[in-house]
Amino acid sequence: MRVVMFGYQTWGHRTLKALLDSEHDVVMVVTHPKSEHAYEKIWSDSVAELAEEHGVPVVIRNRPDDEELFRLLKEADPDILVANNWRTWIPPRIYDLPRHGTLNVHDSLLPKYAGFSPLIWALINGEPEVGVTAHMMDEVLDAGDIVLQRSVAVGPTDTTTDLFHKTVDLIAPVTIGALDLIASGQSEFTKQDRSQATFFHKRAEEDIRIDWTWPAEVLERLVRAQCAPYPAAFTFHKGKRLEVLSAVVSEGLYGGTPGRIFYREGEGVVIVAGADARTGRNHGLAITRVRTEDGRELPASEYFTSMGGYLTGRP
């Protein structure tokens, strides 16, 4: 089939590579301009450069809503449009233009985790698996019929970076497998169960601030979710920002006030956690490595020279 691809960053780059390696003909690529935004510099393999290396025409747009782009798409005469990590709304006259419509590739197991940052949110929420879904685009974001979906298990120590590498490797088989089904003439696909749909927003500074009333199990997943190259989860100690780089759930049960710097356990320093921590039936979060406001990284056992005091959400 003749394919036009809309995509950005490493997700778009992997999609384009899969298309270029397939029997399909990539006739045009639409991508966003290079950005200095912190989140868009993560996993930032260039779609434009890959397309240019293969002689594929490239159009740069923030939004695909102008007449020139619409004319170029009509002239390209695609059988299908494939999108992955396109960051703005695609209007109906664009996604309905190709003969077979538009296939969107999303890094979650739809209908759950539509929207943004699905791997981070899924890890924080303790999901047992994550994956990639190829679905037909319609007027509702990430809600179209599912053509193909594959999943991978979330391991007990997996970080978001681990899950990124697991799921990005699914992009090629899911994309090309879905295109093969469409090219074979199949047009009836699996309806999404909208009663199971969840929709998440982009991550922001407030989303990585540690709330010590959360259970230690959730905080441990938050720390793993906000691993490098993502911004680290943070708290405040004596009025200064302290980033938590690694932590585990304590073996012992610790009661008291959430945020209390309590006890050395193994290689970590246990912080009391959980809204009902006063009952003494909670595990704490054993912090093992931190980064200070001036950029120093060190074991928590070296940073916390004495027990007592509190970690807080604000200075």
Side-chain angles (χ1 to χ4, degrees):
M1 292 188 292
R2 291 173 61 82
V3 179
V4 169
M5 200 211 79
F6 278 55
Y8 189 50
Q9 295 178 280
T10 301
W11 296 270
H13 186 278
R14 285 292 189 98
T15 305
L16 178 57
K17 185 177 187 307
L19 291 168
L20 292 169
D21 290 342
S22 74
E23 62 183 11
H24 303 289
D25 183 16
V26 183
V27 296
M28 190 169 82
V29 164
V30 185
T31 190
H32 295 302
K34 188 175 181 179
S35 171
E36 293 303 310
H37 188 282
Y39 269 104
E40 294 186 359
K41 292 171 73 174
I42 298 172
W43 315 126
S44 57
D45 294 302
S46 173
V47 170
E49 290 177 7
L50 180 61
E52 289 163 356
E53 288 170 8
H54 288 81
V56 178
V58 177
V59 179
I60 308 292
R61 288 290 188 279
N62 277 312
R63 296 182 178 277
D65 53 7
D66 59 275
E67 293 302 321
E68 181 188 21
L69 176 59
F70 187 64
R71 176 181 59 79
L72 291 171
L73 287 168
K74 289 182 72 174
E75 290 174 356
D77 191 30
D79 294 304
I80 194 164
L81 193 156
V82 175
N84 192 347
N85 198 40
W86 182 261
R87 310 295 281 179
T88 58
W89 180 65
I90 298 176
R93 71 168 184 165
I94 299 290
Y95 68 68
D96 281 339
L97 177 65
R99 296 172 184 83
H100 296 290
T102 294
L103 182 76
N104 186 55
V105 182
H106 181 69
D107 56 337
S108 85
L109 296 174
L110 294 175
K112 294 183 177 181
Y113 297 95
F116 301 91
S117 306
L119 294 179
I120 294 178
W121 288 113
L123 180 52
I124 291 170
N125 290 333
E127 297 291 350
E129 59 182 6
V130 293
V132 171
T133 302
H135 69 96
M136 302 309 300
M137 187 175 288
D138 62 16
E139 68 276 7
V140 180
L141 182 63
D142 296 334
D145 294 356
I146 294 172
V147 181
L148 193 62
Q149 185 176 81
R150 289 193 181 180
S151 65
V152 291
V154 177
T157 62
D158 275 347
T159 65
T160 300
T161 298
D162 295 326
L163 299 182
F164 166 80
H165 289 297
K166 287 182 179 183
T167 55
V168 80
D169 286 343
L170 297 178
I171 288 174
V174 168
T175 302
I176 304 307
L179 288 179
D180 289 346
L181 290 172
I182 294 167
S184 72
Q186 188 169 332
S187 59
E188 296 294 324
F189 302 110
T190 304
K191 299 287 183 185
Q192 291 195 38
D193 180 356
R194 301 307 296 158
S195 70
Q196 298 299 309
T198 56
F199 187 89
F200 286 83
H201 59 75
K202 294 179 181 179
R203 303 288 293 174
E205 179 84 351
E206 194 61 30
D207 302 309
I208 61 176
R209 185 189 308 274
I210 293 175
D211 181 343
W212 292 105
T213 65
W214 287 13
E217 293 81 2
V218 179
L219 292 177
E220 186 270 341
R221 294 196 299 266
L222 173 65
V223 171
R224 282 192 282 131
Q226 293 296 154
C227 69
Y230 299 97
F234 70 93
T235 186
F236 286 89
H237 183 226
K238 298 180 179 179
K240 294 186 177 181
R241 183 177 173 128
L242 183 68
E243 295 181 342
V244 179
L245 303 183
S246 62
V248 296
V249 176
S250 71
E251 293 183 7
L253 301 178
Y254 297 88
T257 302
R260 177 75 173 187
I261 304 163
F262 194 5
Y263 193 76
R264 297 183 188 277
E265 183 184 279
E267 297 180 357
V269 173
V270 177
I271 313 301
V272 177
D276 59 346
R278 71 187 190 288
T279 65
R281 294 194 294 268
N282 287 9
H283 292 278
L285 185 73
I287 298 175
T288 55
R289 192 164 187 83
V290 298
R291 180 162 54 225
T292 61
E293 204 167 67
D294 60 6
R296 290 184 304 127
E297 293 187 17
L298 67 164
S301 58
E302 292 183 17
Y303 173 80
F304 294 104
T305 56
S306 62
M307 300 298 99
Y310 294 85
L311 298 182
T312 59
R314 306 283 172 180

